[in-house]
Amino acid sequence: MALDINSAAKRMIKSLWGKFLIILLFISLISLSAALSLRELIIKDFEEYLEGEREDRVYRVMASIEGSYEKYSGWNSDALRENAIWALLLGYELSIRDLNDNEVMSTNKAVELLPPLMKRRITAISGFSSEEKKLSNDSFTNYPMFLGGKDIGSLEIRSVISDGGEVKEITFMMRSNRFLLLLLFILGGLSVILSLIFSKKMTDPIKKLTAAAEHISQGNIKSRVSISGNDEISNLARTFNMMAGNLEIQEALRRKLTSNIAHELRTPLSAMQGEIEGMLDGLIKVDRERLVSLHEETGRLKHIIEGIEELSKAELSVLELRKQQILLKPFLSNIKGRFDKLFIDKGVALKLECEDKMTLYADPEKVSQIIINLLSNALKATDADGTVIIRAGIKDTEGYVAVSDTGSGIKKEDMPFVFERFYKTPEGGLGLGLTIAKELADAHGGRIEVESEYLKGSTFTLYLPAFTTSS
């Protein structure tokens, strides 16, 4: 049992939470030590201040006694009694002696000479009593007195103890010490509690991040971390969630790509395998015609792989868009210029309708790929003397680029599937061009819509956010 406790304690100390706790407790200990050191310095300064005050009061008493000696040209009993009572009210018991060391006045004598009512008041205020047990344990301090450089006697003086048995200043310091110790105890306990709370609060998000990372390493790529606050750990959690999201996207793309490759390659590979097996079995003659057939199937496989590669790049584009401001008319004019000869050779008119100041914030390479795919399809679908028009504008607060043709159009039953992977119309084709265009549009937060009437033409419209116009 003791071994288990020791192991748990070691694990706690080695953990991040334990390290944070130790650091916070160490800081609390330093703070409390600093407070105690400060207290010692304050008490020392206070004691020095009190000592200076005592010395000042003693010298004032001496000055008053010396002044009365000068005034009366010797020791005057009434004046000495008044000085003794005044010194008692200041907290001192005294004994005044002449040059022959004879006591000429003392606090005890002065108090006894007072009227009874005055005596009770003075003793009550000063806490003085003539009983030996009530006197201070401090010994008298002797101060010689002078007048004009001439010795006139001496003053013996000491502090008076109050009725409670303690000097008032000492009582104050003791109460201050008790209050300080109580305060340190409360603050020390509070610092320990707060250290436990804050160290746990600081390490809990890191524990959650660790747990989420372990889940992802075990294959659960949907694991995420809850986020609160806006500090460095929260930013780390957001970055982690973004990373996990990208991993999930990449994993989904990987699975989709694997499925697409297996589906699309199965047919040509099966055909090639059948031909080769027939050749090996002697059922099919090995001649130029068969080799050309195999070569064509190989080319078809290469074309499929290249199309799949293009689709994969389009799907990954959400992770690697390089957006910038595009002035749309010269951008579309440049694309149109690349297709002009192809359209002229086929006898199809290609037109552009776009406002001069329209701009778009997007990845120019990806948008160019979308428009090129749409124009390529329009050119294939449009016969000679037909027309293809590129239009750009703003519709219902959204910007759009539309490619319209007067070609063969799309059958009604084919419309729901035109953007599906590897969906081939009777006219042929790999069936990836529109899929790639749709993926690129989705990556920009946009979409592609199609309107078509069979044998009359089609219009593919790309809608993208962040279109602007300026005068």
Side-chain angles (χ1 to χ4, degrees):
M1 182 66 180
L3 185 61
D4 292 340
I5 294 174
N6 290 334
S7 299
K10 288 180 180 179
R11 285 196 301 272
M12 186 197 76
I13 292 173
K14 291 181 179 179
S15 68
L16 185 61
W17 174 73
K19 292 176 181 178
F20 269 122
L21 179 60
I22 291 172
I23 290 172
L24 291 173
L25 290 177
F26 186 67
I27 293 173
S28 300
L29 181 61
I30 292 175
S31 300
L32 294 175
S33 301
L36 289 172
S37 300
L38 181 62
R39 173 253 179 196
E40 292 297 326
L41 292 174
I42 292 174
I43 291 297
K44 182 179 179 182
D45 289 343
F46 182 65
E47 289 175 346
E48 291 177 355
Y49 166 77
L50 291 179
E51 185 63 30
E53 282 291 307
R54 293 190 192 100
E55 291 291 328
D56 289 343
R57 287 197 294 269
V58 169
Y59 288 131
R60 285 199 292 269
V61 171
M62 287 178 58
S64 180
I65 294 173
E66 290 170 347
S68 67
Y69 184 92
E70 181 180 17
K71 180 178 179 181
Y72 296 104
S73 301
W75 302 116
N76 181 274
S77 178
D78 292 336
L80 292 177
R81 185 175 69 252
E82 290 176 1
N83 283 317
I85 297 300
W86 177 56
L88 180 61
L89 293 175
L90 290 177
Y92 293 101
E93 179 188 1
L94 57 73
S95 173
I96 302 172
R97 297 180 177 275
D98 60 15
L99 287 173
N100 297 320
D101 202 29
N102 296 318
E103 186 177 73
V104 294
M105 181 56 67
S106 67
T107 301
N108 190 45
K109 289 179 181 179
V111 171
E112 293 299 326
L113 293 173
L114 291 172
L117 181 59
M118 183 64 71
K119 178 180 178 181
R120 286 196 298 273
R121 290 180 178 176
I122 293 297
T123 54
I125 293 171
S126 63
F128 176 77
S129 174
S130 59
E131 298 180 16
E132 184 66 25
K133 64 180 180 179
K134 293 289 185 180
L135 295 177
S136 171
N137 293 325
D138 294 339
S139 58
F140 282 99
T141 302
N142 187 280
Y143 293 89
M145 294 186 292
F146 299 91
L147 185 61
K150 180 181 178 182
D151 189 5
I152 61 172
S154 63
L155 171 67
E156 294 183 346
I157 192 168
R158 66 179 178 182
S159 297
V160 177
I161 297 295
S162 66
D163 288 339
E166 296 178 339
V167 178
K168 292 179 181 179
E169 290 85 353
I170 296 176
T171 302
F172 169 77
M173 286 192 293
M174 292 186 68
R175 288 177 179 173
S176 300
N177 289 340
R178 285 198 295 269
F179 174 76
L180 181 60
L181 290 174
L182 179 62
L183 188 63
L184 289 176
F185 177 77
I186 294 173
L187 291 178
L190 187 62
S191 65
V192 171
I193 294 172
L194 291 178
S195 296
L196 288 169
I197 293 173
F198 283 110
S199 61
K200 190 174 187 303
K201 187 174 181 181
M202 291 171 66
T203 55
D204 276 350
I206 299 176
K207 289 181 180 178
K208 292 178 181 178
L209 280 169
T210 303
E214 289 177 352
H215 291 159
I216 289 177
S217 68
Q218 294 167 2
N220 180 16
I221 59 175
K222 293 186 179 296
S223 181
R224 298 292 186 272
V225 181
S226 58
I227 301 172
S228 61
N230 196 28
D231 54 13
E232 287 81 357
I233 295 179
S234 300
N235 293 335
L236 176 61
R238 290 187 184 92
T239 304
F240 177 87
N241 287 343
M242 290 176 59
M243 178 195 71
N246 290 339
L247 286 175
E248 186 175 3
I249 292 172
Q250 291 179 352
E251 177 64 15
L253 294 176
R254 182 189 66 80
R255 292 178 180 178
K256 189 185 298 183
L257 182 61
T258 302
S259 175
N260 290 338
I261 291 173
H263 177 271
E264 191 64 20
L265 296 184
R266 186 178 293 113
T267 301
L269 284 174
S270 297
M272 292 175 66
Q273 184 179 17
E275 283 195 61
I276 293 172
E277 287 178 351
M279 292 177 185
L280 292 174
D281 293 338
L283 300 176
I284 298 176
K285 184 180 179 180
V286 181
D287 54 16
R288 178 178 177 80
E289 181 181 352
R290 294 300 176 183
L291 292 177
V292 169
S293 175
L294 288 175
H295 183 268
E296 289 176 351
E297 290 297 327
T298 305
R300 183 183 173 195
L301 286 176
K302 181 181 179 183
H303 181 57
I304 291 172
I305 291 172
E306 288 174 348
I308 292 173
E309 185 179 13
E310 287 295 320
L311 177 60
S312 177
K313 290 179 180 179
E315 290 173 332
L316 284 170
S317 62
V318 67
L319 305 177
E320 53 184 30
L321 289 178
R322 295 178 175 84
K323 293 184 177 181
Q324 63 187 59
Q325 289 291 342
I326 304 170
L327 190 59
L328 202 56
K329 188 168 184 178
F331 175 76
L332 294 176
S333 296
N334 181 54
I335 296 175
K336 177 180 176 296
R338 292 158 61 183
F339 278 83
D340 278 338
K341 186 176 187 305
L342 294 174
F343 276 77
I344 291 171
D345 290 344
K346 192 175 181 180
V348 177
L350 178 60
K351 300 178 181 179
L352 172 62
E353 299 175 3
C354 178
E355 296 181 21
D356 291 337
K357 300 298 183 179
M358 182 172 290
T359 61
L360 168 66
Y361 184 67
D363 187 323
E365 181 180 346
K366 303 297 188 296
V367 174
S368 175
Q369 190 173 354
I370 295 172
I371 305 301
I372 288 171
N373 277 334
L374 297 181
L375 286 175
S376 298
N377 289 343
L379 180 60
K380 291 176 183 177
T382 307
D383 294 329
D385 298 327
T387 302
V388 175
I389 302 175
I390 306 171
R391 293 186 179 90
I394 295 178
K395 178 181 179 182
D396 298 331
T397 70
E398 278 188 306
Y400 70 89
V401 177
V403 176
S404 301
D405 63 66
T406 58
S408 58
I410 303 171
K411 293 180 180 179
K412 187 175 182 180
E413 59 268 24
D414 291 329
M415 288 285 288
F417 308 107
V418 292
F419 295 110
E420 292 294 328
R421 291 175 176 79
F422 303 108
Y423 182 78
K424 295 180 283 293
T425 63
E427 288 76 13
L430 188 57
L432 288 178
L434 291 177
T435 305
I436 291 172
K438 181 179 181 299
E439 293 290 345
L440 294 174
D442 291 342
H444 281 83
R447 68 188 189 280
I448 292 183
E449 295 181 356
V450 58
E451 297 176 1
S452 182
E453 189 174 350
Y454 188 55
L455 299 179
K456 291 188 177 181
S458 304
T459 298
F460 286 86
T461 306
L462 168 66
Y463 292 94
L464 289 178
F467 272 85
T468 59
T469 57
S470 57
S471 57

